[in-house]
Each structure stands twice: as structure tokens, then as C-alpha cells.
Amino acid sequence: MSSTENTLKKGLSFNKNEDSMKLLISNLNRKLEDVSMGGGKAKIEKHHAKGKMTARERVQFLLDKDAKQIEIGAFAGEGMYQDYGGCPSGGVVVVIGYVSGKQCIVVANDATVKAGAWFPITGKKNLRAQEIAIENKIPIIYLVDSAGVFLPMQDEIFPDKEHFGRIFRNNAVMSSMGITQIAAVMGSCVAGGAYLPIMSDESLIVEKTGSIFLAGSYLVKAAIGESIDNETLGGASTHCEISGVTDYKCKDDSSCLNKIKEIIGGVGDSVKVGFNRKESLLPKLNQEDIYGIFPALRTKPYDVREIIKRLVDESKFTEYKQEYGKTIICCYARIDGWSVGIVANQREVVKNGKKEMQFGGVIYSDSADKAARFIMNCNQKKIPLVFLQDVTGFMVGSRSEHGGIIKDGAKLVSAMANSVVPKFTIITGNSYGAGNYAMCGKAYDPRLIVGWPTAELAVMGGTQAAKVLLQIEVSSLKSKGEEISPAREKEIFNKIKGRYDEQTSPYYAAARLWMDAIIDPLDTRKWVSMGIEAANNGSELPPYNVGVIQT
């Protein structure tokens, strides 16, 4: 079925939804402005006084002007490490953009945040950036300005598999894969971090501000009694003229970044996977209608087709098994010219000509079966998958259990988990329990995963979880001989629900990098398009095998 007609009726409900979404987006933009200040105005001014650009200034100078870009993990560390003064954006800026016309991922330490020291979330964010480069075989550029591991938390960042040392392992792996790596030492580069420049393909260093050494002058004095200044020990002249650690000496930040542009400009094109793309066409229907369509109240139904019409080219899509498994919509469409297969939860179901919620966002056996078959078809046709998540889980109860919901759910999870085409996940609303898994949550390797400001991630909804936890809490207190009045029970419930609601916030998820970003719904097309462009690099896809599936 192709659908371009606008069946949308705007009224009071639409206006309330629109106001709510715009308020959430305003709050999102305000928070983005706050984290963009890094360590604060005073630290930025101190940075400038040294003749240095900030991390974000360096990234924007490097990237092509007026070209599309997306930031990974802007809210990493949000609300975390308060005992140490916080860690805005995880102390590192990661952006996918274009350098000399070539799509790259740029990683820039923010020295205004604890001198660019690595917190646990910093390590996780750096590894996420490398994961993106490895999966998509795109060049990665490191703009280094870091004091190394944040020592008060060294036990959470230093020795484990996914800690600091993994970055150098990845340097070696990417080099063997032929993925271009450029490192620019624009500030401190100490201890274990000193290996990063030499493990990259080419390295640059800025005079007077850049330095590389395994141990600084104070530690050298303490360890072996040698007195030497940092510049002589590991400055630009030392490493370009004596040690040979670095390849280019640059007089300042801007000349260093311009040199990187020259280097990237000479990198040859990669082999393409061959995902289908035609001329990009905008949706015919107003994209901003999404604000009014998506319900402010998470219990309200809506037709996800109306969202899809405003995300896809010409507002056209071809729906797969339209009359079957109605709580999941599967369709073929194009986003920014790219051919995509969309799997979306449907909260509004039509029966006998009447609209009903039918446990909105729940996955039934027939829906799981349909989605699994559609995912297999997309892999057969080499079509990238886009998941629009607004799911409360799988249907429960005797009827569903007897009908084999576990079997059908496993079929969907298996088909999705083994998918070889790139997957992109947009969490628009609820993302609860096993529904998160089946609809390609973070554990299932989406190339990019983002949420709208309306997203909620949890095992179950706040009210349901609070009721369960309340029963446990009340039972425990009663076993200790306490009398629980209705007022006391309500107080306990509100306390539990408040804590649980905080943990379901999209900012809580983004802070821990369960999502790559929180985005304005109107940026969804850009994220999917840039993601597929990145995924289009590399060799032919491996064979698609799903293993054992019960039918």
C-alpha cells in the first residue's frame, strides 16, 4: 500500500501534544547549551589564554562548513560524578561529520573538564566512537588533549576489558583493517595515552602546547632523579626532530587542523556495500506535525503510520502484511533517498471499523511472526532496517502463553539479532522489558540508537514497577512488625515511583550511553541517512543465517 493522503485531524489533543513536545525540545536545547560549555566559562577563557581552541571549536574548525553532522554522546556523564564536580559530555566531544568531503568520526578531548582526564564514562564514550569507526570502516581523527586516567577512579577505568587500555587494542585492530586513523596532539598526552599517536597511521603535534611522554618531569625527577622540563622531555621539537614519534610539527591549533584536512583530502574512496539510493525527496506532509501527533500521555493511542508518513520521502511507503499482526507495522520506504525497511510499534488498532488501543505497543504472536519474516526479507534484499520503538513488551496471560508467544518472540529476536544489514533504532516512546530487545535495543548492536525527548527506557513502566516494589517493601516492613497506614503506603509508593521515573528518563539513559543521543524528532531523517551512508562503506555483507527457529 502506498500512502500519501493526509488523514490527520488537528484539534485540542493535537495542540496539547504539540505544546508538550515543543517544551521537551526547548528543554533539550537548553541542556545541550549547558553541556557545550564544558568545564565552564572561566576554564574556557583560561584555555584561550594559552592560545588553544576548545574541543568543540577544534571540531567545528575541522569539519566542512554547512555540511551535516551528528554528535554522539553529548549527554554522556549527565548527573554523574557529582562528588568530583561532574563530567559534562564525558570530558570528550565525538562528532560524525565531513572533513574534506569525506565522512569521518572526530574524537576531541575537552581539557576544560578536569584537564581532559578519563572518567569511566569517558572510556566508554571513546570506545563507542571506535566501535562506530570499526563497524562502518570510516576514518577516525583523535584531537588529543588529556591528562590521562582520572586517578581517584582509576580502579573503574584502568584494568578491565572495556577500560582505558582497550582503546590501544582497537588502534591496532583498526590499522589491520585499513581504517584511517589520524592523531593530533594539541595538549597533554601522557602515560598510557602516549601510545595513541604512535599507534595511529599519522600523528601531528602543536608547538609549545602539545606534549607526549610516558612520565612527566615531576615523575621523572622522583623516579630516576633526572631534572628536565616538559618541553625538552616530550615537546614538539623533541618528537619531530629526535624521537620520531610524531610526523608533523604545527605552529598552532589552526595550522594543525588544516594539515589534517589536507591528509584526509588525499585518502582514497572505500569500496561500497551497495545499499540502494535514489534522489532524496522531502516528505510531502508537514514533518512538524509529528509534534502534535505523538501523544503527551504515554497511555494514549496514535497511528504510527502518520509518523512514518512524515519521516519518509514523498510520505510514501509500501506496507507489508497490512491486515496481519496489527500491533507492528512493517513497510518499505525511502529516507533521504536510501531504501529502508521500517519496523514500528503500533499503539492504535482498528477492529470492526472502530479504533481501539488493544494494549497499545504490546507485541502479539502474529506481530512477532510478521516482523521476523519482514526482517528476513530485508536481509535477503540488502535493505537497512529502521526500528521505531514504542513498546511495552510482549503480551502475557494464558491465551498468549498457550499460543506460543515465547516461541514467536524468540523467532523475532533471532531474526533481528542475526541481521547482517545495518540496523538503526529510534526510541520514540516506551522501551520496556523484552520489547526493548525485540525492537533492537542497545544490546543488539544497532549502528546508531537515539531517542526522542519522549523516550522512556526501563524493565516496565514506572507505575507498574512502583506497585510491584511497593508490595515487596510493605511486606518487608510488616514482617518487622510495622503498621502501614494508607498514608504511609502512599508515601512509600510516591518515593519509589519518583526514583523509578528518574531512571526511566531519556537523559538517564543518554548519560550512560544506552543511547547515542536525544534528538529533535525532525532530525530523525538526518541520523538515519548519515548512518546508512557510513554503513555503506566496506565489503559485501556476510551471509544471513538465523540458526534454529521454532515455527
Side-chain angles (χ1 to χ4, degrees):
M1 182 190 83
S2 293
S3 185
T4 56
E5 69 277 7
N6 188 357
T7 58
L8 186 65
K9 294 181 180 179
K10 299 182 181 180
L12 181 60
S13 178
F14 181 97
N15 293 335
K16 286 183 176 179
N17 292 339
E18 185 178 45
D19 289 345
S20 176
M21 181 69 85
K22 286 184 175 180
L23 187 62
L24 290 172
I25 292 169
S26 176
N27 184 51
L28 167 63
N29 291 332
R30 185 168 61 251
K31 284 179 174 288
L32 285 171
E33 287 179 8
D34 289 342
V35 297
S36 71
M37 292 300 292
K41 187 176 179 180
K43 292 285 182 66
I44 290 173
E45 290 175 350
K46 186 176 180 181
H47 206 69
H48 286 161
K50 297 177 182 178
K52 298 166 69 175
M53 297 179 186
T54 65
R56 292 184 181 278
E57 288 168 345
R58 287 167 176 167
V59 171
Q60 293 310 312
F61 187 97
L62 179 62
L63 295 178
D64 295 347
K65 300 296 181 290
D66 301 321
K68 293 187 295 185
Q69 59 180 263
I70 52 178
E71 182 172 354
I72 304 295
F75 291 113
E78 175 82 359
M80 300 167 66
Y81 315 119
Q82 294 307 304
D83 290 346
Y84 299 108
C87 186
S89 286
V92 61
V93 179
V94 176
V95 177
I96 301 175
Y98 300 85
V99 178
S100 298
K102 183 172 290 294
Q103 193 178 48
C104 302
I105 185 163
V106 183
V107 182
N109 299 116
D110 188 348
T112 70
V113 179
K114 295 292 187 293
W118 283 49
F119 283 71
I121 197 66
T122 316
K124 187 173 184 178
K125 186 171 175 179
N126 274 268
L127 292 174
R128 175 62 179 141
Q130 290 187 318
E131 179 183 39
I132 291 170
I134 291 170
E135 284 183 329
N136 298 290
K137 298 179 177 61
I138 60 173
I140 184 167
I141 300 166
Y142 310 98
L143 306 181
V144 186
D145 194 345
S146 171
V149 168
F150 185 62
L151 291 178
M153 302 189 75
Q154 64 86 26
D155 61 321
E156 297 182 48
I157 184 59
F158 168 65
D160 209 347
K161 180 179 178 180
E162 300 299 333
H163 283 177
F164 187 68
R166 187 77 173 183
I167 193 171
F168 312 122
R169 175 264 185 195
N170 287 348
N171 286 144
V173 169
M174 282 189 281
S175 181
S176 72
M177 294 174 67
I179 297 170
T180 299
Q181 298 177 85
I182 307 295
V185 181
M186 310 183 80
S188 297
C189 185
V190 301
Y195 287 101
L196 184 140
I198 201 60
M199 295 193 74
S200 298
D201 300 331
E202 293 183 86
S203 57
L204 307 87
I205 188 169
V206 178
E207 291 184 272
K208 299 181 181 177
T209 58
S211 59
I212 312 173
F213 32 65
L214 295 180
S217 57
Y218 292 123
L219 184 54
V220 168
K221 176 68 174 177
I224 63 173
E226 180 183 3
S227 296
I228 189 170
D229 64 88
N230 283 338
E231 184 66 22
T232 304
L233 180 66
S237 295
T238 294
H239 286 307
C240 284
E241 300 171 20
I242 301 173
S243 72
V245 167
T246 50
D247 305 310
Y248 306 94
K249 181 167 64 174
C250 308
K251 65 177 182 179
D252 54 27
D253 281 8
S254 60
S255 61
C256 180
L257 297 168
N258 281 326
K259 179 65 70 175
I260 295 173
K261 293 180 185 182
E262 291 177 17
I263 296 169
I264 294 295
V267 175
D269 289 337
S270 62
V271 177
K272 302 301 179 186
V273 177
F275 298 124
N276 186 283
R277 191 180 197 185
K278 293 184 177 180
E279 178 188 358
S280 175
L281 298 168
L282 290 173
K284 284 188 176 179
L285 302 183
N286 186 1
Q287 295 178 67
E288 291 191 12
D289 284 346
I290 291 173
Y291 296 164
I293 296 168
F294 199 84
L297 295 177
R298 303 306 308 116
T299 56
K300 294 291 185 181
Y302 66 97
D303 189 350
V304 76
R305 294 180 185 87
E306 296 296 337
I307 299 289
I308 294 171
K309 290 176 189 177
R310 288 154 180 83
L311 293 177
V312 302
D313 291 14
E314 292 193 291
S315 300
K316 288 183 178 180
F317 59 87
T318 301
E319 188 167 345
Y320 175 78
K321 288 184 178 289
Q322 181 182 356
E323 301 301 326
Y324 178 73
K326 293 185 177 181
T327 61
I328 289 184
I329 302 299
C330 298
C331 62
Y332 299 106
R334 290 188 181 274
I335 293 180
D336 196 26
W338 294 105
S339 175
V340 296
I342 297 174
V343 181
N345 300 113
Q346 172 68 309
R347 296 181 64 87
E348 183 176 84
V349 175
V350 178
K351 278 195 169 183
N352 301 320
K354 295 182 179 179
K355 293 181 180 180
E356 59 175 53
M357 190 169 175
Q358 198 194 19
F359 298 101
V362 174
I363 301 174
Y364 288 76
S365 286
D366 54 357
S367 303
D369 175 67
K370 176 173 78 171
R373 290 171 60 88
F374 181 74
I375 288 168
M376 294 176 194
N377 281 334
C378 286
N379 275 273
Q380 183 87 347
K381 298 173 183 176
K382 204 159 69 174
I383 298 174
L385 287 160
V386 177
F387 292 84
L388 299 181
Q389 269 200 27
D390 189 1
V391 59
T392 51
F394 286 86
M395 190 59 192
V396 297
S398 61
R399 184 176 177 182
S400 290
E401 297 295 357
H402 296 171
I405 185 66
I406 296 175
K407 176 184 66 178
D408 291 315
K411 181 178 180 180
L412 170 55
V413 171
S414 183
M416 180 275 303
N418 286 295
S419 179
V420 297
V421 295
K423 299 169 292 192
F424 303 91
T425 301
I426 318 297
I427 303 175
T428 62
N430 300 329
S431 180
Y432 295 160
N436 168 281
Y437 300 160
M439 292 294 292
C440 196
K442 183 66 182 289
Y444 291 84
D445 299 321
R447 295 294 179 100
L448 295 171
I449 177 169
V450 298
W452 291 356
T454 44
E456 292 184 359
L457 284 77
V459 172
M460 63 181 74
T463 300
Q464 298 95 316
K467 286 179 180 178
V468 174
L469 294 170
L470 174 66
Q471 293 176 39
I472 297 171
E473 180 77 8
V474 169
S475 178
S476 176
L477 292 172
K478 285 182 177 179
S479 70
K480 297 175 183 177
E482 289 192 36
E483 290 291 331
I484 307 297
S485 66
R488 171 69 171 141
E489 189 170 311
K490 184 178 181 180
E491 178 188 344
I492 296 172
F493 174 83
N494 289 336
K495 182 179 179 181
I496 293 172
K497 187 174 185 302
R499 182 175 67 247
Y500 201 89
D501 286 345
E502 179 185 349
Q503 293 176 357
T504 65
S505 160
Y507 294 98
Y508 191 92
R512 289 152 183 80
L513 288 174
W514 301 344
M515 301 191 300
D516 291 317
I518 302 171
I519 66 169
D520 184 327
L522 301 188
D523 286 332
T524 303
R525 283 171 54 86
K526 178 175 71 173
W527 276 80
V528 172
S529 176
M530 288 189 68
I532 298 176
E533 181 182 348
N536 199 34
N537 293 293
S539 56
E540 185 66 27
L541 296 174
Y544 178 57
N545 297 305
V546 294
V548 177
I549 290 182
Q550 293 189 41
T551 57

